[in-house]
Amino acid sequence: MPFDNPSKSIYSQEDWDLMQAAYDKAAKTLVVQSSTDDDAKIIAETVMIAFNRGNKDINSLAALAVITAINSHPGISQDSSEQQTRSG
């Protein structure tokens, strides 16, 4: 999901580039295939919210977005822990 810089943006091009880099890193970690995926939307929203709150570190933004995307799927985590309990 590209971060486009609208003509009357409050962000500089450097800001957009930083958010895009964080998004790309998180998406690669999660193997997001399309900007229409729910995870892609979660990543973009998380990156922008954290950036707006002052986080300007690409690695930190990407990690936060990955954690948020993973945590947005509680059924997946629950299924994994149930399988471990059954097999253990």
Side-chain angles (χ1 to χ4, degrees), residues 12-58:
S12 69
Q13 187 60 51
E14 292 80 22
D15 292 342
W16 286 109
D17 292 344
L18 188 144
M19 287 188 280
Q20 182 66 56
Y23 173 89
D24 291 343
K25 187 170 190 157
K28 183 177 178 184
T29 300
L30 291 172
V31 193
V32 174
Q33 299 299 322
S34 165
S35 62
T36 61
D37 289 343
D38 288 338
D39 286 339
K41 293 174 188 171
I42 292 167
I43 291 169
E45 289 171 359
T46 302
V47 166
M48 288 192 86
I49 289 168
F51 183 89
N52 289 337
R53 291 182 178 167
N55 188 341
K56 308 293 190 238
D57 180 75
I58 293 170

Side-chain angles (χ1 to χ4, degrees), residues 30 62-72:
L30 291 172
L64 181 61
V66 167
I67 290 167
T68 302
I70 290 170
N71 287 336
S72 71

